[in-house]
């Protein structure tokens, strides 16, 4: 018994020492407050005005909780990217490109968003050829999966959609590799959220059989597909870290953060906005929980997302 206690004490001491060393190494590095820009690519949950500018202004009551007028956001107020853009005291430029869902212009982030980003990156690199250009210093945020999966549910069976996931991941990986070749070094990549918890997922569901919904009223089958997508995405990011030697790639488990929020809906209050988007209050809650690194792999705050050595 005494021997077992000694072994356990030694083990816990080593764990504590490793934790302290990790905290020390993080604190010793200067935060990346000097991001000259954030290049944000994602779906309409992060759209700061692309769809509105391209087609027609998004009308009230969108924006009513913060902007008091037309703001191009698919929310009652600010989005997750708005809160991410406030991480620094500097005036960060947030450049957002949004996938257009079922518009006839672009159906998915993979088909349009990331190729557009590589074109934009290439144009800027032609103007600034130095390795320390805006592109290499900037943070590139990518929010992937929701529109791909929602569109998949409308077009194919769950089995077919699961079969299509590797192809989506492969295209994503190729696009990230291309960005890296163009000089991008700091990536902040969100996985997809609990799609089965969106009100639209259960809107037409009448008298569901036992086991179809989880204890929070989320559609299990949709969330299972989202989780499988996230599993493959996280695995591929590990491979990309090994292949792209100078890249700092942070994987952010937005699914877990949003699911925690939804599980506490009774105490947290209003979450959904028109059934598919998140309210400003929900976006603020998620931002406050992910920006400090609590839901990230590795567990580092976004202010240190450019420091490669913390990603291993």
């Amino acid at each position: 018994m005494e021997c077992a206690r000694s072994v356990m004490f030694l083990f816990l001491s080593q764990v504590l020492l490793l934790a302290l060393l990790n905290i020390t190494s993080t604190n010793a590095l200067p935060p990346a407050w000097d991001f000259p820009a954030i290049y944000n690519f994602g779906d309409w949950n992060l759209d700061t005005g692309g769809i509105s500018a391209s087609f027609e202004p998004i009308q009230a009551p969108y924006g009513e909780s913060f902007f008091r007028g037309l703001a191009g956001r698919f929310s009652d107020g600010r989005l997750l990217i708005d809160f991410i853009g406030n991480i620094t005291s500097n005036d960060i430029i947030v450049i957002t490109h949004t996938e257009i869902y079922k518009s006839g212009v672009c159906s998915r982030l993979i088909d349009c968003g990331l190729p557009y980003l590589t074109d934009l990156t290439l144009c800027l690199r032609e103007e600034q050829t130095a390795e320390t250009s805006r592109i290499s210093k900037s943070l590139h945020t990518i929010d992937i999966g929701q529109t791909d999966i929602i569109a998949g549910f409308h077009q194919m069976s769950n089995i077919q959609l699961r079969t299509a996931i590797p192809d989506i991941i492969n295209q994503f990986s190729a696009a990230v590799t291309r960005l890296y070749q163009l000089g991008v070094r700091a990536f902040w990549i969100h996985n997809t959220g609990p799609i089965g918890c969106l009100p639209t997922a259960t809107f037409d569901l009448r008298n569901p059989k036992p086991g179809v919904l989880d204890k929070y009223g989320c559609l299990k089958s949709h969330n299972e597909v989202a989780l499988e997508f996230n599993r493959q995405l996280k695995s591929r990011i590990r491979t990309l870290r090994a292949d792209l030697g100078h890249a700092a790639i942070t994987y952010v488990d937005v699914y877990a953060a949003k699911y925690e929020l939804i599980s506490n809906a009774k105490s947290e209050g209003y979450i959904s906005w028109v059934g598919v988007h998140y309210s400003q209050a929900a976006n603020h809650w998620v931002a406050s929980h992910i920006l400090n690194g609590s839901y990230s792999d590795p567990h580092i705050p976004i202010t240190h997302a450019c420091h490669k050595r913390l990603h291993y």
Side-chain angles (χ1 to χ4, degrees):
M1 180 65 69
E2 189 64 31
C3 180
R5 287 182 183 146
S6 299
V7 171
M8 180 60 68
F9 177 78
L10 179 60
F11 172 75
L12 292 175
S13 299
Q14 291 175 334
V15 170
L16 178 60
L17 177 60
L18 288 173
L20 290 173
L21 287 174
N22 182 61
I23 293 173
T24 302
S25 64
T26 302
N27 292 338
L29 290 170
W33 293 113
D34 58 346
F35 288 135
I38 296 177
Y39 291 86
N40 170 61
F41 283 74
D43 58 24
W44 45 20
N45 285 316
L46 299 183
D47 177 25
T48 58
I51 295 177
S52 185
S54 300
F55 298 97
E56 60 182 81
I58 300 172
Q59 302 295 333
Y62 288 98
E64 66 180 11
S65 296
F66 182 78
F67 298 102
R68 312 299 182 191
L70 300 181
R73 268 75 167 169
F74 282 96
S75 175
D76 61 323
R78 288 168 291 180
L79 307 174
L80 183 56
I81 189 61
D82 291 308
F83 294 109
I84 291 176
N86 289 331
I87 62 171
T88 170
S89 57
N90 298 329
D91 294 326
I92 280 187
I93 302 170
V94 179
I95 302 172
T96 301
H97 177 75
T98 308
E99 54 181 322
I100 312 299
Y101 176 50
K102 283 192 172 179
S103 68
V105 177
C106 180
S107 63
R108 303 188 307 176
L109 176 63
I110 294 300
D111 295 333
C112 181
L114 289 176
Y116 176 91
L117 176 55
T118 61
D119 292 342
L120 175 62
T121 303
L122 182 58
C123 290
L124 292 176
R125 288 285 292 170
E126 289 175 351
E127 296 178 6
Q128 303 175 22
T129 57
E131 187 62 26
T132 56
S133 66
R134 169 183 285 185
I135 291 299
S136 60
K137 288 182 177 180
S138 297
L139 179 66
H140 287 67
T141 61
I142 300 173
D143 192 295
I144 181 175
Q146 176 169 313
T147 304
D148 295 271
I149 295 174
I150 289 178
F153 282 129
H154 288 290
Q155 299 168 6
M156 59 187 76
S157 68
N158 281 16
I159 295 177
Q160 291 173 324
L161 181 54
R162 284 174 177 268
T163 303
I165 289 176
D167 180 57
I168 299 173
I169 300 298
N170 286 339
Q171 294 181 57
F172 165 79
S173 178
V176 170
T177 300
R178 176 60 174 156
L179 290 176
Y180 177 82
Q181 293 168 346
L182 295 172
V184 175
R185 291 296 179 263
F187 296 88
W188 180 267
I189 299 174
H190 298 176
N191 64 11
T192 195
I195 295 171
C197 297
L198 297 173
T200 53
T202 57
F203 183 78
D204 295 323
L205 196 61
R206 299 289 183 269
N207 302 317
K209 296 179 181 179
V212 171
L213 303 178
D214 68 12
K215 61 182 178 181
Y216 302 117
C218 302
L219 192 59
K220 286 183 178 180
S221 60
H222 281 41
N223 278 351
E224 287 168 357
V225 172
L227 286 169
E228 175 58 22
F229 177 90
N230 292 340
R231 185 191 68 78
Q232 294 188 34
L233 175 65
K234 187 174 184 179
S235 176
R236 183 57 59 89
I237 286 176
R238 292 195 189 101
T239 301
L240 286 170
R241 287 194 187 117
D243 294 342
L244 311 180
H246 297 288
I249 307 175
T250 306
Y251 172 87
V252 187
D253 193 355
V254 172
Y255 182 103
K258 289 182 176 179
Y259 194 77
E260 180 180 345
L261 171 62
I262 290 165
S263 69
N264 294 309
K266 290 183 179 179
S267 60
E268 295 295 343
Y270 190 48
I271 293 175
S272 178
W273 180 254
V274 298
V276 69
H277 311 298
Y278 286 83
S279 66
Q280 174 177 270
N283 289 324
H284 181 266
W285 190 96
V286 173
S288 67
H289 284 72
I290 68 171
L291 295 182
N292 62 5
S294 297
Y295 290 87
S296 298
D297 176 23
H299 292 303
I300 59 172
I302 194 171
T303 53
H304 289 75
C306 65
H307 295 298
K308 175 184 176 295
R309 74 181 180 87
L310 293 178
H311 291 71
Y312 297 92

